Amino acid sequence: MSTVIRFLALIGLILIATSFTSTAQSVSQPYPTGNGFSLDNLELPISEIYPGGPARNGITSLNDPKFEPASCAEDFVSAQDYVIGISYNGVTRAYPVKIMGYHEVVNDQIGEEKILVTYSPLTGSTLVFSAPQENNVQTFGVSGLVYNNNSLLYDQATESLWSQFTGMAISGSEAGQRMKQIPTTYTTWAQWKELHPATEVLSTDTGFKHTYDQSPYLAYGNNSKTMFPVSFKNRILPTKSQVVGVEVNGRFKAYPFALLPNGKDRVTDDNFNGQQIRIEFNADTRTAVVTDGIGNVLPSVTSYWFAWYGFHPETEVYGFLPERSPLAMLEIR
């Protein structure tokens, strides 16, 4: 009798697994739910979407952010703390990464425009987007799901899921839509304040009881392991080595920190797909500022190598000859 029960249980598990990993997209047969989301109209294989641990909104977004002047921020932001800096439409703000690590999303507003400030700790990526105007898709939260170890966000209006790394909706009614990326600077507080002494900085007065003393992901960043599988892998660079990546008219290129000259007097100039690119890299602070060569900050992503490659396996890599390109050394999933 026990053998029969075990056999029936095994059949049940197989049926559940089959239904969960099915890739047939159909309105009449929607995907199963994950963390309370109906994963229909998917742009990604469902087998590569994982529960990240927290439930929906288990990581709480900041929807009413408060800001302090730079002169009042010294008691909670140190010189070497990393910040996400934006200078946009006449407003300059800094969002300390040690605060972002506890919330991942800040729903902010500059003038009449809603913006979305994001940080995904498992991929080390910081991006800022202009929230879409259509369908009232303007306020976002953290779904608790991940793809390529990267946080999947969701908009509260339609509950579509959005990739933090690409700004594209990957499920729901907004699937396939992309948000406009706003240029940012990932740097230290000291560097940002020197460039923008009148900047505002995100306050620790968030309404939550976090201490924000340090990032809760320090141990993760200090080893080579990822928490979840990655769609594509390549070993031309160490898994968690840092790169700064750019997209120019549908082509992608990564600039490894390890190959960039250091200091203001030693910049990297490149012409990629018709776009002049200048990168000023500081090895001491591990930061790279990407401009168009005349000082205008360009959209870019600083992240771990595994994440950049996982999303862009067709990428070019600065400093590598074609025969050593990622495509020539692709590892199958």
Side-chain angles (χ1 to χ4, degrees):
M1 187 67 173
S2 61
T3 301
V4 173
I5 292 174
R6 285 197 299 271
F7 175 76
L8 292 176
L10 177 61
I11 294 298
L13 289 173
I14 293 173
L15 290 174
I16 292 172
T18 301
S19 67
F20 189 76
T21 58
S22 170
T23 56
Q25 297 189 14
S26 170
V27 173
S28 60
Q29 294 179 324
Y31 283 108
T33 59
N35 272 12
F37 295 96
S38 181
L39 304 182
D40 61 327
N41 205 23
L42 271 175
E43 297 280 327
L44 303 173
I46 194 171
S47 59
E48 297 179 18
I49 296 175
Y50 294 89
R56 176 205 295 232
N57 298 325
I59 297 173
T60 50
S61 61
L62 294 181
N63 300 329
D64 184 25
K66 297 178 175 59
F67 295 89
E68 304 275 2
S71 58
C72 297
E74 304 303 326
D75 59 338
F76 65 90
V77 186
S78 65
Q80 297 306 309
D81 283 342
Y82 289 103
V83 300
I84 307 167
I86 64 170
S87 184
Y88 185 65
N89 287 348
V91 175
T92 304
R93 287 177 180 163
Y95 304 79
V97 170
K98 65 182 183 182
I99 298 179
M100 296 296 301
Y102 286 90
H103 299 283
E104 299 194 12
V105 170
V106 174
N107 291 292
D108 202 356
Q109 184 168 339
I110 293 180
E112 296 298 317
E113 185 175 358
K114 301 281 189 179
I115 70 168
L116 178 66
V117 183
T118 71
Y119 171 56
S120 182
L122 299 189
T123 50
S125 51
T126 59
L127 294 103
V128 177
F129 302 100
S130 176
Q133 301 300 310
E134 298 79 15
N135 302 326
N136 199 35
V137 178
Q138 296 187 340
T139 303
F140 287 75
V142 183
S143 73
L145 302 173
V146 298
Y147 167 71
N148 274 346
N149 289 262
N150 181 248
S151 300
L152 290 176
L153 314 177
Y154 78 96
D155 71 82
Q156 295 181 359
T158 73
E159 295 203 341
S160 299
L161 295 174
W162 300 72
S163 167
Q164 186 267 353
F165 206 93
T166 65
M168 187 181 84
I170 59 92
S171 77
S173 63
E174 304 304 299
Q177 300 298 314
R178 286 184 181 271
M179 293 185 280
K180 183 185 86 172
Q181 185 180 348
I182 294 174
T184 63
T185 302
Y186 177 75
T187 186
T188 62
W189 170 239
Q191 287 181 320
W192 182 256
K193 187 176 60 171
E194 180 181 355
L195 291 172
H196 304 282
T199 186
E200 300 175 320
V201 59
L202 180 65
S203 170
T204 56
D205 182 14
T206 62
F208 297 91
K209 295 182 179 180
H210 304 305
T211 60
Y212 302 118
D213 286 338
Q214 64 180 12
S215 167
Y217 295 93
L218 289 177
Y220 173 80
N222 290 331
N223 67 72
S224 63
K225 295 181 180 179
T226 62
M227 292 188 67
F228 303 96
V230 182
S231 297
F232 301 95
K233 295 186 292 184
N234 191 287
R235 292 182 179 175
I236 64 170
L237 296 170
T239 301
K240 289 183 182 174
S241 60
Q242 286 182 294
V243 301
V244 59
V246 298
E247 176 186 358
V248 178
N249 297 324
R251 288 176 60 187
F252 302 90
K253 190 166 186 176
Y255 296 81
F257 280 14
L259 299 180
L260 296 177
N262 176 38
K264 291 184 179 181
D265 297 329
R266 298 186 64 192
V267 298
T268 298
D269 285 309
D270 193 19
N271 191 298
F272 176 55
N273 204 21
Q275 171 68 62
Q276 186 64 31
I277 292 174
R278 171 165 288 187
I279 301 176
E280 182 181 313
F281 174 64
N282 187 312
D284 295 330
T285 59
R286 308 291 297 168
T287 58
V289 178
V290 182
T291 68
D292 61 4
I294 59 174
N296 298 314
V297 178
L298 295 176
S300 64
V301 181
T302 295
S303 73
Y304 296 128
W305 162 246
F306 84 83
W308 178 261
Y309 186 82
F311 279 93
H312 306 302
E314 71 278 30
T315 189
E316 298 177 40
V317 180
Y318 174 80
F320 282 85
L321 297 174
E323 60 268 23
R324 293 285 294 173
S325 70
L327 288 179
M329 302 179 66
L330 176 67
E331 292 182 15
I332 303 303
R333 298 170 186 260

